[in-house]
Amino acid sequence: MNYYLSLFFICFFLNVNGQETHYSSKDIAINTLIDGTLLVPNNTAKPKLAIIITDYGPTDRNGNQNFSNNNALKKLAESLTSKGIATFRYDKRIVKQILKKKIDAHITFDDYITDAISVIDYFKNEASYSEIYIIGHGQGSLIGMLAAKDKADGFISLAGTSQSIDKVIIEQIGAMDPTLIEATTKAFESLKQGKLTSEYPQALETIFRADVQPFIMNWMQYDPQHIIKSLDMPVLVVNGTKDLQVSVDEAKALKLASQKADLKVIDNMNHVLFIIEGDELENSKSYNESFRPISEVLTTTISEFILN
C-alpha cells in the first residue's frame, strides 16, 4: 500500500471511529495522590464538567482492576465528551500506591472523600467550567454524594447502593448462605461500637481481616439515603436490570429518599454498563470484555440530564 493510500485510510479511520477530532485529552495531577484524564470538547467555551468517581477496590480511571478490564468509565467519559460535556476521571489513590509499591496500610474511606473534594476544588478554582456534576459509580456513588454536597451543581448515582455497607454485606451473605447471617451481624455490631473483632465466620476472612476492619468501620458509618436526602441540587439515580451487584431496588430506595431525584432504570444494563442479552455467565464474562460498547441509553440519559 503506497503512502497516500495509507494516509487516506488512517484519516478515514480517525474520522469514522475516533472521537479525538471532537475533543482534546490531557492528563492532570491533582496532587501527589491523584492523577486523572481530562477530556474537553472542542469549540465550546466554558463547558459543563462531569467528574467520574470509580467503584470499590483498586479501580483505575478507566474502570479497570487487575482481573477486570472493561474500560467502561473511559467509554462513558468519551461518550459524554463527544456530546459536549467535559469529563475528568481519576485513579483511586490506592492504584498509584500499588504501582509505586508504597501502600498505605491505614487508608480510610474518608481518604477517598477527601480525594473527591480535592478534585472538585481543583476544577472550581480553575473557573473554566460553567457547572460541575459528579458521577459516582458503585462505591463512588456514596463518595460522590458526600463530596458533592455544597460544592457541585448536580449529582448522578450510577449503580449506587441505598444502604450502609454493613447492611449490604449482610444481605449478600444471607443470599449466599443464611447460616452465616447471625455471626456476620455480630461482627458488624462490634465494628459499630468501634471495636475490632476476631469473631467472624472464617469463610468471610477477606471482609473481616484485621487490616480491613478499620476501613469497613469507617465506611459503614455513612447512610446513603440520609446523605442523598441532604443534597440541594438536581439528582439522577441510574441502575440496570442486569446488575449482579446492585439491584434496582437500591436505586428505587435512593430515589424515594430524595425529593430532587429522577430515576432511570435501564433494561438489560449490567454493573459495568454493558447491555447483556444472555445469562449470568455472559454477564460475568463481560467484566473483562473491553470490546463491548456501553449502553447508549445511559450516555443519552446522563448527557440530557447535565445539558438540559
Side-chain angles (χ1 to χ4, degrees):
M1 186 179 294
N2 66 40
Y3 171 80
Y4 293 105
L5 190 57
S6 297
L7 185 61
F8 169 81
F9 279 112
I10 290 171
C11 293
F12 177 81
F13 179 84
L14 288 175
N15 286 331
V16 173
N17 296 297
Q19 295 178 338
E20 292 298 328
T21 55
H22 302 297
Y23 59 78
S24 61
S25 176
K26 181 182 180 181
D27 288 340
I28 294 176
I30 300 297
N31 52 40
T32 58
L33 297 169
I34 300 301
D35 300 323
T37 299
L38 175 69
L39 304 181
V40 180
N42 295 335
N43 304 316
T44 304
K46 296 199 75 168
K48 295 183 179 182
L49 172 69
I51 297 170
I52 301 173
I53 304 175
T54 65
D55 202 354
Y56 177 74
T59 309
D60 70 15
R61 70 191 74 180
N62 297 327
N64 301 328
Q65 295 187 16
N66 283 343
F67 302 103
S68 177
N69 182 27
N70 50 67
N71 282 331
L73 298 186
K74 178 182 180 181
K75 294 172 186 177
L76 176 62
E78 291 174 345
S79 295
L80 293 178
T81 305
S82 71
K83 293 178 182 293
I85 301 165
T87 60
F88 182 75
R89 63 191 194 277
Y90 63 93
D91 301 331
K92 295 177 78 170
R93 67 164 66 187
I94 189 68
V95 173
K96 192 169 187 178
Q97 291 174 1
I98 290 172
L99 290 174
K100 291 193 170 187
K101 299 181 179 179
K102 293 183 179 180
I103 299 175
D104 180 3
H106 304 292
I107 194 168
T108 67
F109 185 81
D110 284 345
D111 287 331
Y112 291 136
I113 302 169
T114 298
D115 294 341
I117 291 172
S118 295
V119 173
I120 297 171
D121 287 344
Y122 178 94
F123 288 106
K124 285 177 74 74
N125 291 336
E126 267 205 342
S128 298
Y129 305 95
S130 59
E131 291 182 338
I132 294 178
Y133 285 73
I134 307 301
I135 302 174
H137 179 235
Q139 185 196 64
S141 170
L142 178 56
I143 295 168
M145 65 178 76
L146 285 160
K149 188 174 181 181
D150 301 325
K151 286 183 174 291
D153 298 287
F155 171 71
I156 299 160
S157 172
L158 189 52
T161 64
S162 66
Q163 305 175 81
S164 58
I165 190 57
D166 55 314
K167 293 178 181 178
V168 171
I169 293 174
I170 291 170
E171 187 175 284
Q172 291 176 345
I173 296 302
M176 292 186 296
D177 187 349
T179 65
L180 297 177
I181 292 178
E182 184 176 351
T184 303
T185 302
K186 184 177 179 180
F188 277 122
E189 286 298 328
S190 178
L191 296 184
K192 278 183 182 179
Q193 297 170 18
K195 300 175 183 177
L196 301 182
T197 181
S198 59
E199 297 182 10
Y200 56 83
Q202 289 306 304
L204 305 181
E205 174 72 15
T206 55
I207 297 172
F208 289 110
R209 286 197 331 259
D211 60 325
V212 175
Q213 287 185 35
F215 185 92
I216 295 289
M217 193 183 298
N218 182 203
W219 185 3
M220 64 190 282
Q221 70 178 287
Y222 294 110
D223 179 352
Q225 292 183 58
H226 175 75
I227 297 159
I228 201 170
K229 184 178 182 179
S230 70
L231 296 183
D232 186 18
M233 62 185 69
V235 174
L236 174 65
V237 178
V238 184
N239 216 89
T241 61
K242 287 287 184 75
D243 194 320
L244 296 174
Q245 296 171 243
V246 181
S247 73
V248 170
D249 288 341
E250 297 287 335
K252 291 178 178 178
L254 284 177
K255 190 269 183 288
L256 288 174
S258 170
Q259 293 183 345
K260 295 182 177 293
D262 293 327
L263 173 64
K264 179 64 176 181
V265 176
I266 301 177
D267 287 341
N268 295 325
M269 188 178 78
N270 73 356
H271 192 72
V272 291
L273 319 181
F274 297 150
I275 297 299
I276 303 298
E277 301 293 352
D279 57 13
E280 287 193 8
L281 178 59
E282 179 194 345
N283 199 336
S284 299
K285 286 175 63 179
S286 73
Y287 281 59
N288 202 36
E289 295 179 335
S290 60
F291 62 84
R292 289 177 177 266
I294 63 170
S295 165
E296 291 184 9
V297 175
L298 173 68
T299 56
T300 298
T301 298
I302 292 178
S303 61
E304 288 180 350
F305 174 76
I306 292 174
L307 293 174
N308 293 340

